[in-house]
Amino acid sequence: MNHLEEVGVLDRIREDLGGFVGEAIRIRANRGRKKIFEVEGVLEQTYPKVFVVRFKERQIERRVSYSYADLLTQAVELTVGENRIGTSPQP
């Protein structure tokens, strides 16, 4: 994938996510060394380079941000309902 194709894909991911702001989502992120972070939260906001997820952990509200490239490289999996965002369907 060349640079222009990658930019187009990232723009499409950003646009797709923009439609889900305020909705419940599920995040699964690889934190390295076999550590997986999984949480259900709300897609709080999308920005030009990152998106923010709000969730509660032990009665404390927290926020995490990820880049759209994290979705493209599958370092982060984001699911809305049964739909996984950021991956292209395999032929």
Side-chain angles (χ1 to χ4, degrees):
M1 180 180 300
N2 69 37
H3 178 70
L4 289 177
E5 288 175 345
E6 189 173 300
V7 169
V9 170
L10 292 175
D11 286 341
R12 195 165 54 245
I13 291 171
R14 183 181 327 111
E15 288 172 15
D16 288 350
L17 274 183
F20 296 111
V21 170
E23 293 197 30
I25 62 167
R26 192 167 52 247
I27 287 277
R28 181 184 165 120
N30 182 351
R31 289 198 165 163
R33 296 191 171 232
K34 299 181 183 178
K35 293 180 185 172
I36 302 292
F37 171 73
E38 283 188 80
V39 70
E40 291 188 20
V42 173
L43 180 60
E44 184 171 71
Q45 188 66 49
T46 58
Y47 295 100
K49 302 286 183 194
V50 297
F51 60 95
V52 178
V53 177
R54 183 182 72 232
F55 64 97
K56 281 203 173 189
E57 181 180 66
R58 297 188 194 106
Q59 306 303 321
I60 298 171
E61 197 167 86
R62 299 194 184 275
R63 288 174 177 78
V64 290
S65 63
Y66 296 102
S67 73
Y68 302 107
D70 290 334
L71 293 173
L72 184 64
T73 62
Q74 298 182 16
V76 173
E77 297 173 12
L78 188 147
T79 309
V80 180
E82 296 300 315
N83 301 318
R84 190 154 156 214
I85 306 296
T87 57
S88 1
Q90 299 299 321

